[in-house]
Amino acid sequence: MIRYHIFLVEDDVYFDFFYKTDLLNYFFTNYMEKPSREDLKKQFNYITCPIPHEEFDQTKQNVYLSERIITVFSNQPLIMDNHFLTQLEKLDRHCFIVDHSNNKYGWLTPKKNQLNWSNTAKHFAINQLYNQSIN
């Protein structure tokens, strides 16, 4: 089972760090390893937006919401649940997604049904694969 972490990112951070996905992944990884560190917690709260719990259907057992992190468990290498993507789209927020088990991370853009992954070895886009699989 693959565990994805999704963060709703503030607009100014999105525009400043759109092409710096490696840096954001490094920060989120450090924060998740040491969430009690006060300096990381302050930065995390500045970078991310609170999760509006009322906007999500929490009857889905594979989606878990904390104050600022959405955790999704999936048996598939991509999040294909259109219901979940629709819920994210309603938020109209920039979403950064991390899959630590496969060392992938990137911007999730539900409105365009695109998922752009990066990994530390190389950057690559899987938009065509994703778009083909939902058509």
Side-chain angles (χ1 to χ4, degrees), residues 80-81 126:
M80 302 302 279
D81 184 354
I126 59 172

Side-chain angles (χ1 to χ4, degrees), residues 10-74:
E10 291 287 352
D11 290 342
D12 58 335
V13 174
Y14 171 79
F15 292 117
D16 290 344
F17 288 87
F18 181 79
Y19 293 107
K20 299 175 185 175
T21 56
D22 292 340
L23 190 57
L24 276 178
N25 180 60
Y26 178 77
F27 170 75
F28 286 131
T29 301
N30 282 341
Y31 173 76
M32 295 189 71
E33 288 174 357
K34 302 171 188 166
S36 60
R37 269 187 50 188
E38 197 59 36
D39 59 333
L40 293 178
K41 188 183 292 188
K42 286 181 182 180
Q43 290 175 0
F44 182 76
N45 288 336
Y46 176 79
I47 290 171
T48 61
C49 306
I51 306 296
H53 291 235
E54 66 278 357
E55 297 290 329
F56 285 93
D57 177 10
Q58 295 190 26
T59 59
K60 293 272 187 180
Q61 293 183 0
N62 59 346
V63 178
Y64 300 91
L65 307 175
S66 69
E67 184 181 336
R68 292 183 178 261
I69 302 172
I70 301 169
T71 304
V72 180
F73 292 93
S74 176

Side-chain angles (χ1 to χ4, degrees), residues 84-86 88-89 93 95 108-114:
F84 178 71
L85 290 174
T86 302
L88 278 178
E89 183 178 301
R93 279 285 182 198
C95 302
L108 178 63
T109 313
K111 285 192 181 264
K112 296 180 182 176
N113 287 327
Q114 293 180 351

Side-chain angles (χ1 to χ4, degrees), residues 100-111:
H100 291 291
S101 58
N102 294 309
N103 199 27
K104 293 182 179 181
Y105 48 88
W107 295 105
L108 178 63
T109 313
K111 285 192 181 264

Side-chain angles (χ1 to χ4, degrees), residues 69-132:
I69 302 172
I70 301 169
T71 304
V72 180
F73 292 93
S74 176
N75 291 325
Q76 301 175 3
L78 295 173
I79 300 173
M80 302 302 279
D81 184 354
N82 287 329
H83 179 69
F84 178 71
L85 290 174
T86 302
Q87 291 176 339
L88 278 178
E89 183 178 301
K90 288 179 185 176
L91 297 178
D92 196 28
R93 279 285 182 198
H94 306 289
C95 302
F96 193 80
I97 184 169
V98 176
D99 169 9
H100 291 291
S101 58
N102 294 309
N103 199 27
K104 293 182 179 181
Y105 48 88
W107 295 105
L108 178 63
T109 313
K111 285 192 181 264
K112 296 180 182 176
N113 287 327
Q114 293 180 351
L115 177 61
N116 296 310
W117 286 111
S118 299
N119 73 15
T120 54
K122 60 183 175 180
H123 294 353
F124 60 94
I126 59 172
N127 291 335
Q128 292 178 349
L129 172 65
Y130 180 71
N131 288 330
Q132 288 172 0

